[in-house]
């Protein structure tokens, strides 16, 4: 499928970064694929996202990526518990393989991030090729909305898992990510305004969440919440194992619960990108994170917004959420 995309450069406030290569653009696909699982009436609403211009050069390769029946995908908006879910899913599928050399490989190797090269200014590695050449079954991560994903994903891939998180917590976590990893120079209040306007990288979170909530009926699709993982991780793991058609013993589940604890994840260089020594790292960024004490796995908490978001923004975020969903809890 040939991709036709409209490109709109966003206002300077959306690109308030130290590095000019991170300037943000709104990318809009003019025509959705006939294989898109969304109803036609929804496609127009959900056919755009926000990314650096570099992403345009990868769009056709992504759209035409060959999909296999044993592919396993994790799709999220950034800062929704993606890494936590990836590690849980990989371990469930591989029988809680904690001691092998494979398990100790970087999660980026075991579970490649398809559009990663779009986000890193100096990244020359073709991450789509890494996805293409990964051993099967392939484990693949993406933050892209539905219309930007491979055309055959919904009709072919074996399993697709989406992870949602409360919007206020997403915004707070994303602000720290933006400031420490994306060299954003604005204040938290300025970032929250951008977040409400859908002018952060990967676009409007509410739009992202809404479109994936519309396809919960698909047999190969699983919708989970970060908050449920925090409240009842064992229950979520058992449910995911059933979805992935994997049998885990009580001993395996207990081992996995310990492996997925916050302290274990934060101290594990295979999953905590702040500890990884790999070719995708940015030396300037790493030095900045050391100075500020920022860690990619930062807090891993629910309700973290309470310490960092003013009552005015809390109200505005809740009003936007309630207008679309009734409430986040109703999802």
């Amino acid at each position: 499928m040939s991709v036709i995309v409209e490109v709109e450069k966003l206002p300077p406030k959306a690109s308030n970064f130290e590095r000019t290569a991170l300037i943000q653009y709104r990318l809009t696909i003019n025509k959705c694929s006939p294989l898109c699982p969304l109803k036609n009436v929804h496609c127009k609403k959900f056919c755009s996202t926000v990314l650096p211009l570099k992403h345009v050069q990868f769009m056709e390769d992504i759209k035409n990526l060959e999909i296999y029946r044993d592919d396993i995908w994790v799709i999220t908006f950034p800062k929704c518990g993606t890494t936590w879910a990836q590690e849980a899913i990989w371990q469930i599928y591989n029988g809680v393989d904690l001691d092998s050399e494979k398990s100790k490989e970087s999660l980026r190797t075991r579970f490649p991030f398809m559009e990663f090269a779009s986000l890193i200014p100096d990244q020359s590695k073709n991450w789509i090729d890494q996805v293409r050449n990964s051993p099967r079954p392939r484990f693949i991560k993406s933050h892209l909305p539905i219309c930007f994903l491979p055309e055959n994903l919904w009709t072919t891939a074996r399993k697709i898992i989406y992870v949602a998180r409360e919007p206020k917590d997403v915004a707070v976590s994303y602000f720290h990510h933006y400031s420490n990893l994306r060299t954003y120079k604005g204040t938290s209040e300025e970032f929250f305004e951008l977040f409400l306007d859908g002018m952060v990288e990967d676009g409007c979170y509410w739009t992202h969440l809404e479109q994936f909530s519309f396809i919960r009926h698909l047999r190969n699709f699983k919708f989970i919440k970060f908050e449920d993982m925090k409240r009842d991780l064992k229950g979520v793991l058992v449910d995911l194992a059933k979805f992935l058609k994997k049998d885990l013993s009580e001993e395996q589940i207990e081992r996995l619960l310990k492996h997925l604890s916050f302290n274990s994840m934060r101290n594990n260089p295979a999953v905590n990108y702040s500890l990884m020594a790999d070719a995708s790292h940015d030396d300037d960024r790493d030095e900045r994170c050391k100075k500020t004490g920022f860690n990619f796995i930062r807090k891993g908490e629910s309700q973290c917004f309470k310490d960092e978001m003013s009552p005015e923004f809390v109200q505005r975020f809740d009003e936007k959420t309630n207008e679309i969903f009734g409430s986040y809890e109703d999802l």
Side-chain angles (χ1 to χ4, degrees), residues 54 58 116-127 279-281:
K54 186 179 179 184
F58 301 112
F116 189 63
S118 303
L119 311 180
I120 308 300
D122 304 321
Q123 181 62 239
S124 58
K125 182 175 180 177
N126 189 331
W127 286 80
S280 64
H281 261 206

Coordinates of all heavy atoms in Angstrom, one line a residue, residues 54 58 116-127 279-281:
K54 N 11.3 13.0 10.5 CA 12.1 11.8 10.0 C 11.2 10.5 9.9 O 11.4 9.6 9.1 CB 13.2 11.5 11.1 CG 14.1 10.4 10.7 CD 15.2 10.2 11.8 CE 16.2 9.1 11.5 NZ 17.1 8.9 12.6
F58 N 9.8 6.3 6.9 CA 9.6 4.9 7.4 C 8.2 4.5 7.2 O 7.9 3.3 7.3 CB 10.0 4.7 8.8 CG 11.4 5.1 9.1 CD1 11.7 6.2 9.9 CD2 12.5 4.3 8.7 CE1 13.0 6.5 10.2 CE2 13.8 4.6 8.9 CZ 14.1 5.7 9.7
F116 N 11.5 3.3 16.5 CA 12.5 3.9 17.3 C 13.4 4.9 16.5 O 13.7 6.0 17.0 CB 13.3 2.8 18.0 CG 14.2 3.4 19.1 CD1 13.8 4.0 20.2 CD2 15.6 3.2 18.9 CE1 14.6 4.5 21.2 CE2 16.5 3.7 19.9 CZ 16.0 4.4 21.0
A117 N 13.8 4.5 15.3 CA 14.7 5.3 14.5 C 14.1 6.7 14.2 O 14.8 7.7 14.0 CB 15.1 4.6 13.2
S118 N 12.7 6.8 14.2 CA 12.1 8.0 13.9 C 12.3 9.1 15.0 O 12.2 10.3 14.8 CB 10.5 7.8 13.8 OG 10.2 6.9 12.8
L119 N 12.6 8.6 16.2 CA 12.6 9.5 17.4 C 14.0 9.9 17.8 O 14.1 10.9 18.6 CB 12.0 8.7 18.6 CG 10.6 8.0 18.3 CD1 10.1 7.3 19.6 CD2 9.6 9.0 17.8
I120 N 15.0 9.3 17.3 CA 16.4 9.6 17.7 C 17.1 10.3 16.5 O 17.3 9.7 15.5 CB 17.2 8.3 18.1 CG1 16.4 7.5 19.1 CG2 18.5 8.6 18.6 CD1 16.1 8.2 20.4
P121 N 17.5 11.5 16.7 CA 18.0 12.3 15.6 C 19.2 11.7 14.8 O 19.2 11.7 13.6 CB 18.4 13.6 16.2 CG 17.6 13.7 17.4 CD 17.4 12.3 17.9
D122 N 20.1 11.1 15.6 CA 21.3 10.6 15.0 C 21.3 9.0 14.8 O 22.3 8.4 14.6 CB 22.5 11.0 15.8 CG 22.6 12.5 16.0 OD1 22.3 13.2 15.0 OD2 23.0 12.9 17.1
Q123 N 20.1 8.5 14.9 CA 20.0 7.0 14.9 C 20.1 6.5 13.4 O 19.2 6.9 12.6 CB 18.7 6.6 15.5 CG 18.5 5.1 15.6 CD 19.5 4.3 16.4 OE1 20.2 3.5 15.8 NE2 19.7 4.6 17.6
S124 N 21.1 5.7 13.1 CA 21.2 5.2 11.7 C 20.7 3.8 11.6 O 20.5 3.3 10.5 CB 22.7 5.3 11.3 OG 23.5 4.5 12.2
K125 N 20.6 3.1 12.7 CA 20.1 1.7 12.7 C 18.7 1.6 12.2 O 17.8 2.4 12.6 CB 20.2 1.1 14.1 CG 19.8 -0.4 14.2 CD 20.0 -0.9 15.6 CE 19.6 -2.4 15.7 NZ 19.9 -2.9 17.0
N126 N 18.4 0.7 11.3 CA 17.1 0.5 10.8 C 16.3 -0.4 11.7 O 16.5 -1.6 11.6 CB 17.1 0.0 9.3 CG 15.7 0.0 8.7 OD1 14.7 -0.1 9.3 ND2 15.7 0.2 7.4
W127 N 15.5 0.1 12.6 CA 14.8 -0.7 13.5 C 13.6 -1.5 12.9 O 13.2 -2.5 13.4 CB 14.2 0.2 14.7 CG 15.3 0.6 15.6 CD1 16.2 1.6 15.3 CD2 15.7 -0.1 16.8 NE1 17.1 1.6 16.4 CE2 16.9 0.6 17.2 CE3 15.2 -1.1 17.5 CZ2 17.5 0.3 18.4 CZ3 15.9 -1.5 18.7 CH2 17.0 -0.8 19.1
A279 N 24.0 0.6 21.5 CA 24.4 1.5 20.5 C 23.3 2.6 20.3 O 23.6 3.7 19.7 CB 24.5 0.8 19.2
S280 N 22.2 2.5 20.9 CA 21.1 3.5 20.7 C 21.2 4.6 21.7 O 20.5 5.6 21.7 CB 19.7 2.8 20.8 OG 19.6 2.3 22.1
H281 N 22.1 4.5 22.7 CA 22.2 5.5 23.7 C 22.8 6.8 23.1 O 23.6 6.8 22.2 CB 23.1 5.0 24.9 CG 22.3 4.5 26.0 ND1 22.7 4.5 27.3 CD2 21.0 4.0 26.0 CE1 21.8 4.0 28.1 NE2 20.7 3.7 27.3

